Amino acid sequence: MHKEAKSSYFDMPALDVSVAFPQATPASNFPPCTSDYYQLADLLTPEEQAIRMKVRECMEKEIAPIMTKYWEKAEFPFEIIPKFGALHIAGGTIKGYGCPGHSITGSAVAAAEVARVDASCSTFLLVHSSLAMLTIGLCGSEMQKEKYLPSLAEFDTVACWGLTEPDYGSDASGLGTTARKVEGGWILEGQKRWIGNSTFADILVIFARNTSTNQINGFIVKKDAPGLQCTKIENKIGLRIVQNGDILLKNVFVPDEDRLPGVNSFQDTNKVLAVSRVMVAWQPIGITMGVYDMCHRYLKERKQFGAPLAAFQINQQKLVQMLSNIQAMILVGWRLCKLHESDKLTHGHASLGKSWITLRARETVALGRELLGGNGILADFHVAKAFCDLEPIYTFEGTYDINTLVTGREITGLASFKPAPVRQKSRL
Ligand SMILES: Cc1cc2nc3c(=O)[nH]c(=O)nc-3n(C[C@H](O)[C@H](O)[C@H](O)COP(=O)(O)OP(=O)(O)OC[C@H]3O[C@@H](n4cnc5c(N)ncnc54)[C@H](O)[C@@H]3O)c2cc1C
């Protein structure tokens, strides 16, 4: 009897949040953009502004209503793939091969608009476009670009990008997966970890150490390659929609035609990372804009002590602090794009942008979480989801610390990544 009552209690469907809490509008009805206080549009070309508005409309109307349930279930919403295909944003800055050939600013503002509504969607897009497609675009042969890029640009196929390994995270240049030359191709052996999109990707860009040269090389591995195994990483607290995988490569044969000729050392991988770090820096910009927009609406709708929450000085101070952070983050992100467009972007610039923006973003989403009270921990009101999603972004594409050290190395000329070994015991 007792058991039955318990199970019927747990089986009860959850009350829709807009019925349970009609005092404020949930994120399925996404708030208007109030966070662009300094009017970024004035710094964009008409084409860049047009991409931005097109992506915003799609994200607010078509994606926002469905994301909370997928985030809660940690499942990938395959229904969004054709919508992304129609936006024609994959391949970003790549010219030709069916890619849009946008400016980096256009690509960055598009990524921010995706992240404003859902950071998992923007991560899915960035792994596919700014890591995997860009690697093929920058380091692939003419034949590889013609073969792979058009269907990736259309989202008829999906790609992932595998650098990190269980033993080599921040220290990715030391990676241990090997590539051994055999007749007609290469044999890959090793493990990868955290690889976004890998559980369903059609092609996997994989980095491995050439056993003859000891240098890092890049390979395109097909999803059905014998010896390849991908397993989903469960129980993440952020970017729950992104399907991150552990990859096992056991005697995987890759034909010569699928070795990327432009990846001959870790420096070549780093060229891709410098550009993708600019794109990743725009994710926290989009995330914090969405959080601010949600807080701005919520504080005007929800009343306590007979007044809207927006009327209290402490709440206004938090809103303004969030808004000022966002304006500064946008300007730094915009400047990164301009440095790239004028061929002046250095690794230090990109790393400083990514690390500083994620730091400010962490402060901003924490303020947003406070402002929503109890609903600040509920995915339905967006802020909690964004708060959790920012954590992995603070860590991937180089942690805050590693990006700081990249800039530190550039400005001092001294690398401080490896602790110096103590050579001998010092005598008193
Ligand atoms: C959700 C998610 C998605 C990801 N997607 C991908 C992907 O698609 N493809 C891919 O290849 N990788 C991916 N990654 C991997 C990501 O790039 C790594 O997690 C990141 O580089 C950090 O490596 P690590 O987790 O092994 O941390 P560790 O390297 O173990 O670092 C742990 C801590 O030590 C600090 N630390 C390490 N070395 C130093 C040092 N020299 N000086 C000071 N501090 C140091 C770090 O800053 C960090 O705080 C993803 C990760 C996550 C969480």
Side-chain angles (χ1 to χ4, degrees):
M1 182 64 197
H2 173 70
K3 215 173 172 186
E4 230 178 76
K6 197 174 169 197
S7 90
S8 66
Y9 169 78
F10 282 111
D11 288 346
M12 266 196 297
L15 196 57
D16 186 290
V17 74
S18 51
V19 177
F21 190 80
Q23 287 81 355
T25 316
S28 50
N29 178 354
F30 209 76
C33 183
T34 47
S35 48
D36 188 7
Y37 198 54
Y38 282 177
Q39 299 161 36
L40 172 64
D42 291 350
L43 298 177
L44 303 177
T45 64
E47 294 76 33
E48 290 161 355
Q49 179 63 5
I51 305 163
R52 192 179 181 216
M53 290 302 116
K54 187 171 73 166
V55 176
R56 181 177 296 175
E57 189 182 357
C58 170
M59 290 305 297
E60 287 182 355
K61 292 204 177 126
E62 299 189 44
I63 311 288
I66 60 170
M67 293 325 288
T68 307
K69 81 173 179 208
Y70 283 105
W71 195 85
E72 182 69 15
K73 289 198 268 179
E75 284 174 7
F76 187 80
F78 287 98
E79 64 191 279
I80 68 167
I81 291 184
K83 296 183 200 297
F84 275 6
L87 285 174
H88 197 46
I89 49 176
T93 53
I94 302 172
K95 291 193 170 67
Y97 314 99
C99 298
H102 291 148
S103 66
I104 190 161
T105 314
S107 268
V109 294
E113 288 301 326
V114 177
R116 178 172 163 264
V117 170
D118 188 78
S120 295
C121 283
S122 69
T123 303
F124 158 72
L125 175 70
L126 289 178
V127 168
H128 172 81
S129 177
S130 305
L131 286 172
M133 288 181 75
L134 192 64
T135 302
I136 298 173
L138 289 178
C139 309
S141 67
E142 202 48 38
M143 197 198 75
Q144 289 166 342
K145 290 183 214 178
E146 276 168 18
K147 182 173 173 190
Y148 293 109
L149 291 178
S151 70
L152 292 168
E154 293 286 322
F155 277 106
D156 287 338
T157 49
V158 170
C160 71
W161 193 85
L163 176 68
T164 306
E165 299 182 358
D167 282 340
Y168 299 95
S170 298
D171 186 17
S173 64
L175 63 80
T177 294
T178 55
R180 180 167 49 85
K181 185 76 188 93
V182 293
E183 203 188 329
W186 299 79
I187 294 290
L188 267 50
E189 286 277 354
Q191 261 179 282
K192 296 284 167 187
R193 181 156 168 83
W194 284 119
I195 312 308
N197 308 346
S198 61
T199 58
F200 62 92
D202 301 281
I203 64 164
L204 302 85
V205 172
I206 296 288
F207 296 91
R209 189 172 298 283
N210 183 322
T211 53
S212 310
T213 64
N214 205 31
Q215 292 293 336
I216 308 288
N217 288 173
F219 300 86
I220 297 171
V221 180
K222 315 275 176 30
K223 74 168 171 195
D224 49 7
L228 176 75
Q229 192 189 314
C230 299
T231 317
K232 180 182 168 183
I233 298 178
E234 303 280 0
N235 307 329
K236 287 186 299 167
I237 64 147
L239 298 178
R240 286 174 57 75
I241 291 161
V242 179
Q243 306 295 298
N244 291 97
D246 279 314
I247 299 180
L248 264 182
L249 297 135
K250 274 193 184 167
N251 207 25
V252 173
F253 176 76
V254 180
D256 280 328
E257 65 192 43
D258 285 334
R259 200 209 125 190
L260 292 160
V263 187
N264 294 302
S265 72
F266 190 70
Q267 266 59 47
D268 296 319
T269 315
N270 247 342
K271 281 181 209 153
V272 177
L273 279 172
V275 183
S276 68
R277 268 176 196 151
V278 174
M279 298 299 294
V280 167
W282 278 85
Q283 278 190 289
I285 294 175
I287 291 172
T288 48
M289 288 179 78
V291 167
Y292 175 89
D293 295 339
M294 189 69 208
C295 291
H296 185 263
R297 180 174 73 185
Y298 188 95
L299 262 57
K300 289 174 95 172
E301 290 180 336
R302 165 102 171 130
K303 290 194 177 74
Q304 288 294 283
F305 300 95
L309 291 176
F312 303 121
Q313 288 185 353
I314 293 177
N315 287 348
Q316 286 192 10
Q317 189 270 333
K318 287 176 184 168
L319 264 188
V320 172
Q321 194 178 338
M322 292 166 72
L323 190 64
S324 52
N325 277 351
I326 293 166
Q327 306 320 300
M329 288 155 64
I330 289 174
L331 290 171
V332 170
W334 178 82
R335 186 65 195 140
L336 285 178
C337 292
K338 296 297 137 191
L339 285 169
H340 181 266
E341 283 168 5
S342 58
D343 244 352
K344 290 187 200 155
L345 185 81
T346 65
H347 288 288
H349 289 148
S351 287
L352 176 63
K354 195 265 176 183
S355 59
W356 183 82
I357 287 173
T358 48
L359 186 69
R360 287 279 79 80
R362 243 183 164 189
E363 179 186 275
T364 309
V365 296
L367 288 166
R369 203 223 67 69
E370 286 174 29
L371 281 173
L372 261 62
N375 285 328
I377 63 144
L378 217 54
D380 304 81
F381 287 96
H382 182 71
V383 175
K385 175 162 90 64
F387 176 94
C388 294
D389 286 344
L390 187 65
E391 283 305 298
I393 297 175
Y394 187 76
T395 289
F396 69 43
E397 291 257 348
T399 64
Y400 174 82
D401 308 309
I402 291 297
N403 276 303
T404 300
L405 296 183
V406 170
T407 309
R409 178 181 58 188
E410 190 169 289
I411 61 172
T412 64
L414 299 164
S416 62
F417 298 92
K418 274 193 185 177
V422 178
R423 294 227 171 84
Q424 59 185 45
K425 280 185 189 162
S426 51
R427 283 194 196 148
L428 283 174

